[in-house]
Amino acid sequence: MSEPIVYVTRIESFSAAHRLHSPLLSKEENEKLYGKCNNPKGHGHNYKVEVTVKGKVDKITGMVINITNLKEIIKNVVMELLDHKHLDEDVDYFKDCVSTTENLGVYIWKLLSEQLPGMLHRVKIHETDKNIVEFYGEFSSSNISSTS
């Protein structure tokens, strides 16, 4: 019988501010596209991040990963960089990248994939109770239109 693959999720929260603004658009285009989220002083969110890893259950420990270790990795790799920060001003990644929740998910994935090679399955971010982004580490070499 083959070994089961189990998914383990850890949830953490952080607070951060950002401004939705693209340097590739005019002031008017930014205001029209992002509305009140384009406020020059920014705005904040209480984000909830779900990090899911997958793997085989270790026969000795009974775990895919020690949840304490996963908690520490998330704290040291993600929370230290993002909690109580202004994403556009304090995080180098967002100096040239619009700080949407989509891009935040990709950024968190990149940070965690170095610490959890082959185990990271999903990064899910709750920006609000109604706005949620999921990223599974899929990167495309072709242009995919995301216009709505």
Side-chain angles (χ1 to χ4, degrees):
M1 184 171 161
S2 59
E3 297 180 62
I5 301 295
V6 177
Y7 297 78
V8 177
T9 300
R10 173 74 186 182
I11 302 171
E12 295 288 345
S13 299
F14 70 93
S15 299
H18 71 141
R19 176 188 187 203
L20 295 181
H21 183 85
S22 173
L24 302 175
L25 299 173
S26 69
K27 180 180 186 282
E28 294 76 21
E29 289 171 317
N30 272 292
E31 289 172 352
K32 182 178 179 184
L33 179 63
Y34 298 120
K36 65 182 180 177
C37 296
N38 184 245
N39 179 340
K41 295 184 187 259
H43 66 281
H45 295 284
N46 293 316
Y47 294 96
K48 184 170 70 170
V49 179
E50 299 180 25
V51 176
T52 303
V53 297
K54 69 176 181 176
K56 296 176 185 174
V57 177
D58 184 276
K59 289 179 178 20
I60 298 169
T61 66
M63 298 184 280
V64 170
I65 189 171
N66 185 321
I67 202 75
T68 301
N69 294 347
L70 181 57
K71 176 183 172 184
E72 285 300 309
I73 290 169
I74 296 168
K75 177 184 172 223
N76 295 332
V77 174
V78 178
M79 297 304 146
E80 293 289 328
L81 289 173
L82 302 177
D83 193 26
H84 286 81
K85 301 291 196 289
H86 192 295
L87 300 178
D88 307 305
E89 297 173 10
D90 299 328
V91 181
D92 287 342
Y93 184 85
F94 293 108
K95 301 260 189 255
D96 299 316
C97 180
V98 182
S99 58
T100 60
T101 306
E102 293 90 332
N103 284 330
L104 183 59
V106 172
Y107 177 62
I108 291 172
W109 178 278
K110 288 179 177 182
L111 292 172
L112 289 173
S113 63
E114 296 174 10
Q115 301 294 314
L116 300 163
M119 292 187 77
L120 189 57
H121 173 68
R122 180 190 71 180
V123 170
K124 183 175 183 177
I125 304 173
H126 300 250
E127 180 186 57
T128 67
D129 289 339
K130 296 181 180 181
N131 298 335
I132 300 166
V133 168
E134 294 180 277
F135 184 61
Y136 291 86
E138 296 174 36
F139 293 89
S140 172
S141 59
S142 64
N143 292 334
I144 296 175
S145 176
S146 61
T147 56
S148 333

